Amino acid sequence: MPTLLCVPILVQDESAAMADAVAARDSGADVVEFRVDEFFSGVQDAAGNLDVREVNGILRLVAECPLPCIVTCRSATEGGHYDGDEMARVALYERLGTAGERRGADAPGDAVGKEKPPRSGGPPGGHPPRYLDFEMSAYATSANLRQKVHLAVDWPEERREGRSGLILSMHDFQGRPADLLRRVAAMGREEAARVVKVAITARSLRDNLELFDLLRENASGKPTIALGMGKFGLMSRVLAPKFGGYLTFASLRAQSATAPGQPTVREMLDVYRFRSIGPKTKVYGVVGWPVDHSLSPLVHNAGFEAIGHDGVYLPLPIAADEKEPGGETTYLSFKATLEALLEYPGLDLAGLSVTMPFKEHLVRWCGESRDAGTVTSWDRQACAVGAANTVWVDGGVVEVANTDARAIEVLLEGALGQFSGKNAAIIGAGGVARAAVWACASRGAAVTVYNRTRERAEKLAGEMQDGPRRQFERAIQVAELAELEASRADVVINCTSVGMVGGVGGSEPEGMAAPVERMTQLPEHAVFMETVYRPVETPMLRAAKARGFRTIDGVQMFVEQAALQFEMWTGKPGPRGLFERICREAIAAREGGG
Ligand code: NAP
């Protein structure tokens, strides 16, 4: 059975909740979950009756909902808002589960996804929700309470066709309980449970793999929802169909998420192509820290769609040590995560883009793995550059490459033709600068590296020049940033984050990486190339255009390096036009606050 896509709706106002349910249907969801824990107070009168307006409001929502629904009154102890009387909560469930004595037309039926006609403002009591969700921690407290819950739901000991099914759930907002497997099995053993739900806080990508284990091995023996909350848990939400998850949640709007890390329905359907994910779908992703704003998932998923490739591309964050991103702690967590993903059975990891701060770590890992004989083939460029941005897994063979370097080569070739005898000014001495130096120097250009921290530039030049396989025709020169003014370069490449808006290192959005107006010795045909792509037109590019120089912007580089990755992974031409359109639109939307 295909995994259901469920939109949670935090009910505060009845008509707003109904409008959201209609919007959820229109956006392509299968199910909605009415979270009534803010709406339902649990207040009872002296005779023990529930507030009739609250109960009738919820009954009306269920009766008029255009999609099958779950009703959940989530306890404050498990991340919800309800902190009222427990028996009042169970009484609400009983009222909902037994709604409408008549069976037949009003019964919820088994075919989730089948619409019911909306009934404008009709009297409450039409039919029970498809499911009621109750936490295992509460369910386990007393036999009396369990007995009352059983009255509300259909369960095997006493079949009550047409009543709600029970979702037994557990949530951990701190992490993952040590006895997760035991708890899931225990929930599955409860006869009344129709579905078992577990939501943990994923502390790293590896926690998702444990959730996949629960699904693959059917640890509960029942249909199971197994989700990781937080930014590390997205993988479990999107890949639920690959591992047979019963249902996954997606919010209607980014602001209406009911759990941390919940994607929107539009992201699920349009970006991740949720409906096309199945057991054989290959998994790709971008590994970095942070990766929240990466454009790579947008372009690669659209590319897979365009060529009909059965793949999905995800953001895959690996936390880096903030104080020392290049250090040992970061490397060890990168290595452990990468190896866990590569080795996980059934994940079908087929390719990775690797970004800051792991590009150098990937080269180190590759060297160590090769020495250990476990991996690998890597290309000469990645090795020579000392940084790599691409992993490709094919038939158990792991390959590593640097498409940044190749992208710079391709773009400069288009602009300059021959490199040999040309002068290149590379600004910066980080990972991208390495790729740029390699691209230019290996084709015979005379390269000068200009960097804020001179020692770093000298280190780069020394390492790239002196390595056994790094023989360039001309020695790489190092100069002060101030000397750029006297440059006679045919090509000037900004490989710093100067000029970038937001993001890591985007500290000088108004800054000019090169003093274009004062660079009076440049030849007329000089080309300015930018690696920063937010904004598309940086102050440096704007000034270069104003002086009539040719320019290559950071989007062109991004598109080229991504297209080269796409070609490695799929064997098909990278759809550069599509990638470029998506990038420019996404950047424009973000610049406009969208
Ligand atoms: P990195 O390794 O952190 O290196 C950053 C470089 O920028 C260093 O040389 C640093 O100088 C210099 N720098 C930073 N702030 C500066 C400032 N205020 N003034 C002068 N120099 C400054 O970063 P990276 O991985 O090479 O990435 C560099 C840029 O390329 C980033 O903006 C990134 O977004 C972009 N990029 C683009 C693409 C694409 O496809 N278009 C791909 C990858 C990266 P110090 O050595 O003195 O610290």
Side-chain angles (χ1 to χ4, degrees):
M1 183 179 165
T3 303
L4 301 170
L5 188 58
C6 178
V7 166
I9 297 170
L10 209 47
V11 181
Q12 284 159 332
D13 167 86
E14 198 185 321
S15 55
M18 186 50 67
D20 277 358
V22 171
R25 178 202 59 190
D26 294 347
S27 68
D30 303 306
V31 187
V32 298
E33 180 193 37
F34 289 120
R35 279 277 308 272
V36 299
D37 34 296
E38 272 193 72
F39 186 79
F40 178 67
S41 66
V43 172
Q44 293 160 285
D45 63 19
N49 297 313
L50 299 175
D51 182 329
V52 72
R53 280 171 312 153
E54 291 175 358
V55 175
N56 284 352
I58 298 168
L59 284 167
R60 255 192 311 271
L61 282 176
V62 175
E64 295 178 12
C65 183
L67 289 174
C69 68
I70 302 168
V71 174
T72 304
C73 182
R74 178 71 67 230
S75 152
T77 57
E78 292 218 21
H81 296 92
Y82 185 75
D83 57 3
D85 181 71
E86 194 64 313
M87 282 306 174
R89 181 161 75 126
V90 177
L92 169 71
Y93 276 25
E94 194 181 336
R95 184 73 183 82
L96 296 172
T98 57
E101 290 305 308
R102 286 182 307 115
R103 298 285 169 255
D106 279 345
D110 266 354
V112 170
K114 207 164 64 178
E115 277 183 33
K116 294 179 178 59
R119 303 171 346 157
S120 52
H127 61 74
R130 177 88 167 88
Y131 291 108
L132 288 163
D133 177 314
F134 203 68
E135 305 91 23
M136 179 66 178
S137 55
Y139 183 80
T141 51
S142 80
N144 179 31
L145 185 138
R146 275 196 295 283
Q147 203 175 20
K148 287 192 178 337
V149 171
H150 294 164
L151 289 175
V153 297
D154 179 28
W155 72 312
E157 279 192 15
E158 190 187 324
R159 284 222 71 90
R160 303 190 198 99
E161 298 284 336
R163 283 199 193 164
S164 305
L166 176 65
I167 299 178
L168 260 192
S169 62
M170 66 136 287
H171 307 79
D172 189 333
F173 284 85
Q174 305 307 320
R176 161 206 167 281
D179 58 348
L180 179 64
L181 188 60
R182 190 193 62 73
R183 290 200 200 196
V184 169
M187 287 195 277
R189 279 196 300 274
E190 293 295 342
E191 277 194 274
R194 185 96 68 82
V195 175
V196 167
K197 175 189 169 192
V198 49
I200 62 165
T201 300
R203 297 148 308 171
S204 78
L205 290 177
R206 281 181 284 167
D207 281 342
N208 295 290
L209 305 181
E210 210 170 340
L211 294 167
F212 297 150
D213 279 342
L214 297 177
L215 296 175
R216 283 173 57 231
E217 291 160 16
N218 194 11
S220 72
K222 302 260 170 80
T224 301
I225 303 165
L227 300 173
M229 296 184 283
K231 65 171 69 176
F232 296 106
L234 179 73
M235 196 180 176
S236 67
R237 297 178 182 279
V238 178
L239 297 185
K242 185 169 171 67
F243 294 98
Y246 180 65
L247 176 150
T248 191
F249 294 93
S251 63
L252 207 49
R253 295 170 278 274
Q255 318 82 280
S256 62
T258 51
Q262 212 170 64
T264 63
V265 185
R266 292 266 56 92
E267 283 166 343
M268 273 297 211
L269 294 174
D270 297 348
V271 178
Y272 301 118
R273 301 156 61 234
F274 177 77
R275 300 286 185 211
S276 68
I277 297 173
K280 296 213 167 80
T281 301
K282 289 184 176 165
V283 175
Y284 302 81
V286 52
V287 164
W289 184 258
V291 285
D292 313 10
H293 297 294
S294 172
L295 296 174
S296 297
L298 290 179
V299 299
H300 285 297
N301 282 312
F304 294 160
E305 166 82 15
I307 64 161
H309 180 65
D310 186 10
V312 60
Y313 186 106
L314 300 162
L316 299 172
I318 299 178
D321 180 349
E322 302 289 350
K323 288 200 195 102
E324 209 192 343
E328 197 61 13
T329 315
T330 306
Y331 174 66
L332 292 176
S333 72
F334 170 76
K335 175 180 156 74
T337 308
L338 180 60
E339 290 177 356
L341 295 177
L342 284 168
E343 285 160 18
Y344 189 76
L347 181 62
D348 301 310
L349 185 76
L352 294 172
S353 311
V354 175
T355 185
M356 288 199 303
F358 301 119
K359 290 184 181 183
E360 283 91 349
H361 292 315
L362 178 57
V363 169
R364 177 177 164 191
W365 173 81
C366 202
E368 288 178 7
S369 311
R370 217 167 43 156
D371 292 347
T374 45
V375 167
T376 310
S377 111
W378 62 357
D379 72 9
R380 195 168 139 263
Q381 249 169 353
C383 172
V385 170
N389 72 337
T390 310
V391 175
W392 173 34
V393 190
D394 187 28
V397 176
V398 181
E399 296 201 27
V400 170
N402 187 321
T403 65
D404 285 338
R406 180 73 193 125
I408 294 170
E409 247 180 283
V410 169
L411 292 168
L412 290 182
E413 217 165 50
L416 296 173
Q418 279 285 337
F419 279 58
S420 191
K422 297 283 194 310
N423 293 311
I426 312 291
I427 310 168
V432 173
R434 281 177 175 272
V437 168
W438 165 264
C440 296
S442 64
R443 299 291 209 88
V447 175
T448 307
V449 180
Y450 301 83
N451 193 45
R452 180 177 61 177
T453 311
R454 188 182 174 106
E455 305 81 71
R456 200 171 169 198
E458 280 167 355
K459 185 165 176 287
L460 179 154
E463 284 174 7
M464 296 196 71
Q465 185 62 52
D466 301 337
R469 298 163 60 179
R470 304 168 195 177
Q471 305 301 320
F472 301 132
E473 276 173 39
R474 299 150 190 262
I476 296 161
Q477 305 294 319
V478 170
E480 297 293 332
L481 273 178
E483 294 176 63
L484 265 172
E485 289 185 18
S487 171
R488 295 173 182 274
D490 302 284
V491 57
V492 179
I493 311 179
N494 175 32
C495 299
T496 74
S497 50
V498 175
M500 176 176 165
V501 176
V504 176
S507 51
E508 274 193 61
E510 299 304 323
M512 182 98 81
V516 184
E517 285 94 351
R518 300 195 300 279
M519 295 173 81
T520 51
Q521 313 286 312
L522 294 173
E524 270 181 23
H525 63 260
V527 176
F528 277 80
M529 178 169 178
E530 184 59 271
T531 58
V532 169
Y533 53 80
R534 283 189 64 198
V536 176
E537 189 171 85
T538 59
M540 181 186 89
L541 285 191
R542 203 163 41 246
K545 277 185 190 165
R547 283 194 57 192
F549 292 119
R550 286 176 299 162
T551 59
I552 299 170
D553 66 34
V555 170
Q556 286 170 272
M557 171 164 168
F558 179 84
V559 165
E560 189 58 35
Q561 62 80 31
L564 292 166
Q565 293 182 326
F566 187 91
E567 285 164 8
M568 286 179 75
W569 297 333
T570 65
K572 301 268 170 55
R576 289 168 175 76
L578 174 72
F579 282 10
E580 180 150 355
R581 180 176 58 73
I582 290 171
C583 287
R584 293 192 191 281
E585 282 174 9
I587 294 168
R590 287 175 193 178
E591 281 171 4

